[in-house]
Amino acid sequence: MAQKQGRLVREPEPGERRQEWGTIAENALRVDPADAAEIVDALSVDHAGSFNLFYLLRKHYWTAAGAEHEELAAFLEEAYKRVREINDDLAIRIVELGGIPPNTPPTLQERAEVHLEAEDLYDLRASLEGDLEGYATLIVSMREHVALAEERGDQGTAELLRDHLEGLEADANVVERLLEAETLVRAEVLQDR
């Protein structure tokens, strides 16, 4: 397949730029600008990580194969939708804090601690092990950022992160239980979710 050459990102010609990337505008949440900048940086890591986890889960939903793959695909579809909701909520919170969420492939990948899988197709166990690693990375990061938000007096962000952590931990637990099975996929594990 041919490699595409050229610019990845375009700048609108006639548009007036309202805010420069990497800056913090005033916020209606009344979070101190220095604190908001630190929280935005932290949330940008979680936003980028959730973006990559979303793509991992969606790829594995598309390519699920083998015994009971319909049940596994259904779980992965629901899981990637939950992660996409997290991603959107984090982006919205970044904007509320006066920032701009990472929104181009380069800025997302610069900040993401969750790594994408290569374009190739891998066996289900290897794919799910990568998903579990992605969940673990994102969960650890978000837990650290709950503490940061609390230290900076931003209870709203801390609560948002805590709420989403519950769902991430539950889905990670399902993936972990699937990997414990010798046959990999057990219908009862998927039905428990």
Side-chain angles (χ1 to χ4, degrees), residues 67-115:
E68 300 174 19
H69 72 277
E70 292 92 3
E71 293 90 348
L72 179 60
F75 163 74
L76 291 169
E77 181 178 23
E78 291 304 313
Y80 84 66
K81 287 178 180 179
R82 285 187 286 275
V83 172
R84 181 61 185 257
E85 182 180 332
I86 292 168
N87 184 259
D88 285 341
D89 287 350
L90 292 173
I92 290 166
R93 189 63 179 188
I94 289 169
V95 171
E96 291 172 343
L97 288 163
I100 303 170
N103 57 73
T104 63
T107 58
L108 285 161
Q109 296 317 311
E110 285 171 10
R111 285 155 184 80
E113 293 178 349
V114 175
H115 301 291

Side-chain angles (χ1 to χ4, degrees), residues 113-155:
E113 293 178 349
V114 175
H115 301 291
L116 293 171
E117 182 178 271
E119 290 84 359
D120 303 317
L121 185 60
Y122 298 93
D123 67 78
L124 188 55
R125 182 170 292 280
S127 294
L128 288 176
E129 286 170 350
D131 295 344
L132 186 59
E133 183 178 321
Y135 273 110
T137 300
L138 185 57
I139 288 167
V140 166
S141 179
M142 287 175 62
R143 283 182 186 155
E144 290 172 359
H145 297 151
V146 166
L148 172 69
E150 288 176 338
E151 288 170 15
R152 300 294 179 256
D154 183 358
Q155 294 305 316

